[in-house]
Short mmCIF file of all heavy atoms in Angstrom, two decimals:
data_model
loop_
_atom_site.label_atom_id
_atom_site.label_comp_id
_atom_site.label_asym_id
_atom_site.label_seq_id
_atom_site.Cartn_x
_atom_site.Cartn_y
_atom_site.Cartn_z
N ASP A 1 10.20 -5.58 9.88
CA ASP A 1 10.72 -5.48 11.25
C ASP A 1 9.82 -4.55 12.05
O ASP A 1 8.75 -4.11 11.58
CB ASP A 1 12.18 -5.05 11.28
CG ASP A 1 12.38 -3.57 10.87
OD1 ASP A 1 11.39 -2.93 10.35
OD2 ASP A 1 13.49 -3.04 11.07
N GLU A 2 10.22 -4.25 13.26
CA GLU A 2 9.40 -3.42 14.16
C GLU A 2 9.16 -2.05 13.53
O GLU A 2 8.07 -1.46 13.68
CB GLU A 2 10.06 -3.24 15.52
CG GLU A 2 9.98 -4.44 16.42
CD GLU A 2 10.48 -4.12 17.80
OE1 GLU A 2 9.81 -3.40 18.57
OE2 GLU A 2 11.60 -4.57 18.10
N LYS A 3 10.17 -1.49 12.87
CA LYS A 3 10.02 -0.15 12.30
C LYS A 3 8.96 -0.15 11.23
O LYS A 3 8.14 0.79 11.11
CB LYS A 3 11.34 0.31 11.72
CG LYS A 3 11.33 1.76 11.21
CD LYS A 3 12.71 2.18 10.71
CE LYS A 3 13.65 2.43 11.88
NZ LYS A 3 14.93 3.05 11.44
N THR A 4 8.91 -1.21 10.39
CA THR A 4 7.89 -1.31 9.33
C THR A 4 6.50 -1.34 9.97
O THR A 4 5.58 -0.59 9.56
CB THR A 4 8.09 -2.61 8.51
OG1 THR A 4 9.48 -2.83 8.30
CG2 THR A 4 7.37 -2.55 7.20
N VAL A 5 6.33 -2.18 10.98
CA VAL A 5 5.03 -2.27 11.68
C VAL A 5 4.68 -0.94 12.31
O VAL A 5 3.51 -0.52 12.28
CB VAL A 5 5.06 -3.40 12.72
CG1 VAL A 5 3.75 -3.47 13.44
CG2 VAL A 5 5.36 -4.75 12.05
N TRP A 6 5.65 -0.30 12.89
CA TRP A 6 5.41 0.99 13.56
C TRP A 6 4.88 2.02 12.55
O TRP A 6 3.90 2.69 12.79
CB TRP A 6 6.70 1.45 14.19
CG TRP A 6 6.80 2.94 14.50
CD1 TRP A 6 7.72 3.80 13.97
CD2 TRP A 6 6.04 3.73 15.39
NE1 TRP A 6 7.55 5.06 14.47
CE2 TRP A 6 6.54 5.04 15.38
CE3 TRP A 6 4.99 3.41 16.24
CZ2 TRP A 6 6.00 6.04 16.13
CZ3 TRP A 6 4.42 4.44 17.02
CH2 TRP A 6 4.92 5.73 16.98
N TYR A 7 5.53 2.12 11.36
CA TYR A 7 5.08 3.05 10.36
C TYR A 7 3.65 2.76 9.91
O TYR A 7 2.81 3.64 9.81
CB TYR A 7 6.01 3.00 9.12
CG TYR A 7 7.38 3.62 9.32
CD1 TYR A 7 8.47 3.13 8.62
CD2 TYR A 7 7.56 4.72 10.16
CE1 TYR A 7 9.74 3.67 8.77
CE2 TYR A 7 8.83 5.28 10.30
CZ TYR A 7 9.92 4.76 9.62
OH TYR A 7 11.16 5.33 9.77
N LEU A 8 3.38 1.48 9.62
CA LEU A 8 2.03 1.10 9.12
C LEU A 8 0.97 1.28 10.20
O LEU A 8 -0.08 1.86 9.93
CB LEU A 8 2.06 -0.38 8.68
CG LEU A 8 2.88 -0.68 7.43
CD1 LEU A 8 3.01 -2.18 7.23
CD2 LEU A 8 2.27 -0.05 6.19
N ALA A 9 1.24 0.80 11.43
CA ALA A 9 0.24 0.88 12.48
C ALA A 9 -0.03 2.30 12.90
O ALA A 9 -1.19 2.66 13.13
CB ALA A 9 0.70 0.04 13.71
N ARG A 10 1.04 3.10 13.01
CA ARG A 10 0.82 4.49 13.37
C ARG A 10 0.02 5.25 12.31
O ARG A 10 -0.87 6.06 12.63
CB ARG A 10 2.20 5.20 13.57
CG ARG A 10 2.02 6.65 14.07
CD ARG A 10 3.35 7.29 14.39
NE ARG A 10 4.21 7.44 13.22
CZ ARG A 10 5.25 8.25 13.14
NH1 ARG A 10 5.63 8.95 14.21
NH2 ARG A 10 5.97 8.33 12.03
N SER A 11 0.29 4.96 11.06
CA SER A 11 -0.46 5.58 9.97
C SER A 11 -1.96 5.17 10.03
O SER A 11 -2.83 6.04 9.89
CB SER A 11 0.16 5.21 8.62
OG SER A 11 -0.58 5.74 7.57
N ALA A 12 -2.19 3.88 10.27
CA ALA A 12 -3.60 3.42 10.37
C ALA A 12 -4.29 4.07 11.56
O ALA A 12 -5.45 4.51 11.45
CB ALA A 12 -3.60 1.90 10.51
N TYR A 13 -3.60 4.16 12.69
CA TYR A 13 -4.16 4.75 13.90
C TYR A 13 -4.55 6.23 13.65
O TYR A 13 -5.66 6.65 14.04
CB TYR A 13 -3.18 4.61 15.04
CG TYR A 13 -3.61 5.31 16.33
CD1 TYR A 13 -4.69 4.79 17.09
CD2 TYR A 13 -2.96 6.45 16.78
CE1 TYR A 13 -5.05 5.42 18.26
CE2 TYR A 13 -3.34 7.10 17.92
CZ TYR A 13 -4.42 6.56 18.69
OH TYR A 13 -4.79 7.21 19.85
N ARG A 14 -3.63 6.96 13.02
CA ARG A 14 -3.88 8.38 12.77
C ARG A 14 -5.02 8.60 11.79
O ARG A 14 -5.63 9.66 11.75
CB ARG A 14 -2.60 9.07 12.26
CG ARG A 14 -1.55 9.24 13.34
CD ARG A 14 -0.33 9.93 12.83
NE ARG A 14 0.58 10.28 13.92
CZ ARG A 14 1.75 10.89 13.74
NH1 ARG A 14 2.13 11.22 12.51
NH2 ARG A 14 2.51 11.17 14.76
N GLN A 15 -5.30 7.61 10.97
CA GLN A 15 -6.39 7.69 10.03
C GLN A 15 -7.72 7.12 10.58
O GLN A 15 -8.67 7.03 9.89
CB GLN A 15 -6.04 6.99 8.72
CG GLN A 15 -4.88 7.66 7.94
CD GLN A 15 -4.47 6.88 6.69
OE1 GLN A 15 -5.33 6.29 6.03
NE2 GLN A 15 -3.22 6.89 6.39
N GLY A 16 -7.64 6.77 11.87
CA GLY A 16 -8.83 6.28 12.54
C GLY A 16 -9.14 4.84 12.27
O GLY A 16 -10.22 4.33 12.65
N GLN A 17 -8.20 4.10 11.68
CA GLN A 17 -8.44 2.67 11.40
C GLN A 17 -7.86 1.87 12.56
O GLN A 17 -6.82 1.22 12.47
CB GLN A 17 -7.77 2.28 10.09
CG GLN A 17 -8.29 3.07 8.88
CD GLN A 17 -7.66 2.61 7.58
OE1 GLN A 17 -7.61 1.41 7.28
NE2 GLN A 17 -7.17 3.57 6.78
N ILE A 18 -8.58 1.88 13.67
CA ILE A 18 -8.11 1.29 14.93
C ILE A 18 -7.94 -0.21 14.82
O ILE A 18 -6.93 -0.80 15.21
CB ILE A 18 -9.07 1.61 16.09
CG1 ILE A 18 -9.32 3.14 16.18
CG2 ILE A 18 -8.51 1.08 17.39
CD1 ILE A 18 -8.09 3.97 16.36
N SER A 19 -8.95 -0.89 14.20
CA SER A 19 -8.84 -2.34 14.14
C SER A 19 -7.69 -2.77 13.22
O SER A 19 -7.05 -3.79 13.45
CB SER A 19 -10.18 -2.90 13.62
OG SER A 19 -10.46 -2.36 12.33
N LYS A 20 -7.45 -1.98 12.13
CA LYS A 20 -6.33 -2.34 11.24
C LYS A 20 -5.01 -2.16 11.97
O LYS A 20 -4.10 -2.99 11.84
CB LYS A 20 -6.36 -1.45 10.00
CG LYS A 20 -5.17 -1.70 9.06
CD LYS A 20 -5.28 -0.85 7.80
CE LYS A 20 -5.89 -1.58 6.68
NZ LYS A 20 -5.31 -2.85 6.29
N ALA A 21 -4.87 -1.07 12.74
CA ALA A 21 -3.63 -0.83 13.48
C ALA A 21 -3.40 -1.97 14.48
O ALA A 21 -2.25 -2.45 14.58
CB ALA A 21 -3.72 0.51 14.23
N ARG A 22 -4.47 -2.39 15.16
CA ARG A 22 -4.33 -3.49 16.13
C ARG A 22 -3.97 -4.79 15.43
O ARG A 22 -3.12 -5.53 15.90
CB ARG A 22 -5.66 -3.66 16.90
CG ARG A 22 -5.57 -4.64 18.04
CD ARG A 22 -6.91 -4.84 18.72
NE ARG A 22 -7.39 -3.60 19.33
CZ ARG A 22 -8.43 -2.90 18.89
NH1 ARG A 22 -9.10 -3.32 17.81
NH2 ARG A 22 -8.81 -1.79 19.48
N GLN A 23 -4.57 -5.04 14.27
CA GLN A 23 -4.30 -6.26 13.53
C GLN A 23 -2.81 -6.31 13.06
O GLN A 23 -2.17 -7.36 13.12
CB GLN A 23 -5.23 -6.34 12.34
CG GLN A 23 -5.16 -7.70 11.58
CD GLN A 23 -5.66 -8.86 12.46
OE1 GLN A 23 -6.70 -8.74 13.11
NE2 GLN A 23 -4.89 -9.94 12.48
N LEU A 24 -2.35 -5.19 12.60
CA LEU A 24 -0.94 -5.10 12.14
C LEU A 24 0.04 -5.47 13.26
O LEU A 24 1.01 -6.20 13.06
CB LEU A 24 -0.62 -3.68 11.63
CG LEU A 24 -1.17 -3.33 10.25
CD1 LEU A 24 -1.15 -1.81 10.03
CD2 LEU A 24 -0.37 -4.04 9.14
N ILE A 25 -0.25 -5.00 14.47
CA ILE A 25 0.62 -5.30 15.60
C ILE A 25 0.46 -6.75 16.06
O ILE A 25 1.44 -7.42 16.33
CB ILE A 25 0.34 -4.31 16.77
CG1 ILE A 25 0.69 -2.87 16.36
CG2 ILE A 25 1.14 -4.73 18.02
CD1 ILE A 25 0.34 -1.86 17.40
N ASP A 26 -0.77 -7.23 16.07
CA ASP A 26 -1.03 -8.62 16.50
C ASP A 26 -0.39 -9.64 15.55
O ASP A 26 0.07 -10.69 15.96
CB ASP A 26 -2.52 -8.87 16.59
CG ASP A 26 -3.16 -8.12 17.78
OD1 ASP A 26 -2.40 -7.68 18.67
OD2 ASP A 26 -4.39 -7.98 17.77
N ASP A 27 -0.31 -9.30 14.25
CA ASP A 27 0.23 -10.20 13.26
C ASP A 27 1.74 -10.26 13.33
O ASP A 27 2.36 -11.18 12.75
CB ASP A 27 -0.17 -9.79 11.84
CG ASP A 27 -1.66 -10.06 11.58
OD1 ASP A 27 -2.26 -10.78 12.35
OD2 ASP A 27 -2.20 -9.49 10.58
N PHE A 28 2.36 -9.30 14.02
CA PHE A 28 3.85 -9.28 14.15
C PHE A 28 4.23 -10.25 15.26
O PHE A 28 3.91 -10.03 16.41
CB PHE A 28 4.31 -7.89 14.43
CG PHE A 28 5.82 -7.73 14.41
CD1 PHE A 28 6.51 -7.90 13.24
CD2 PHE A 28 6.51 -7.41 15.57
CE1 PHE A 28 7.90 -7.76 13.18
CE2 PHE A 28 7.89 -7.25 15.54
CZ PHE A 28 8.57 -7.46 14.37
N THR A 29 4.90 -11.34 14.93
CA THR A 29 5.13 -12.42 15.86
C THR A 29 6.41 -12.22 16.72
O THR A 29 6.55 -12.91 17.72
CB THR A 29 5.24 -13.74 15.12
OG1 THR A 29 6.28 -13.65 14.11
CG2 THR A 29 3.93 -14.09 14.42
N LEU A 30 7.31 -11.34 16.30
CA LEU A 30 8.55 -11.20 17.04
C LEU A 30 8.31 -10.31 18.27
O LEU A 30 7.37 -9.51 18.33
CB LEU A 30 9.62 -10.57 16.15
CG LEU A 30 10.05 -11.39 14.94
CD1 LEU A 30 11.07 -10.60 14.09
CD2 LEU A 30 10.68 -12.70 15.37
N PRO A 31 9.18 -10.41 19.32
CA PRO A 31 9.05 -9.56 20.48
C PRO A 31 9.15 -8.08 20.16
O PRO A 31 9.99 -7.69 19.30
CB PRO A 31 10.22 -10.03 21.38
CG PRO A 31 10.61 -11.38 20.88
CD PRO A 31 10.28 -11.40 19.43
N ILE A 32 8.34 -7.28 20.77
CA ILE A 32 8.36 -5.82 20.52
C ILE A 32 9.28 -5.17 21.52
O ILE A 32 9.05 -5.28 22.74
CB ILE A 32 6.94 -5.25 20.59
CG1 ILE A 32 6.06 -5.83 19.47
CG2 ILE A 32 6.95 -3.75 20.51
CD1 ILE A 32 4.63 -5.42 19.50
N THR A 33 10.26 -4.46 21.04
CA THR A 33 11.23 -3.78 21.92
C THR A 33 11.23 -2.27 21.71
O THR A 33 11.68 -1.51 22.55
CB THR A 33 12.63 -4.31 21.69
OG1 THR A 33 13.01 -4.12 20.31
CG2 THR A 33 12.73 -5.82 22.01
N GLN A 34 10.78 -1.80 20.56
CA GLN A 34 10.80 -0.37 20.24
C GLN A 34 9.78 0.41 21.09
O GLN A 34 8.60 0.05 21.11
CB GLN A 34 10.49 -0.18 18.75
CG GLN A 34 10.73 1.23 18.25
CD GLN A 34 10.30 1.38 16.80
OE1 GLN A 34 9.10 1.44 16.54
NE2 GLN A 34 11.24 1.39 15.87
N PRO A 35 10.23 1.45 21.78
CA PRO A 35 9.33 2.18 22.67
C PRO A 35 8.08 2.70 21.97
O PRO A 35 6.99 2.60 22.51
CB PRO A 35 10.21 3.35 23.19
CG PRO A 35 11.60 2.86 23.01
CD PRO A 35 11.60 1.98 21.82
#
């Protein structure tokens, strides 16, 4: 769900893996509602 993607993408972003963080979000097909 959104929380799972948030945990993974934020962790990737903080580790400097920008493309991985972007890919994780892009692969999530449901509407994003979490701030």
Side-chain angles (χ1 to χ4, degrees):
D1 70 348
E2 283 188 75
K3 186 177 286 187
T4 320
V5 177
W6 159 243
Y7 287 149
L8 291 170
R10 184 175 63 163
S11 178
Y13 175 70
R14 287 182 172 180
Q15 293 177 36
Q17 301 182 49
I18 307 302
S19 59
K20 177 178 264 306
R22 187 183 298 110
Q23 187 66 46
L24 285 163
I25 296 174
D26 290 343
D27 288 346
F28 186 65
T29 56
L30 296 176
I32 295 176
T33 59
Q34 190 185 76

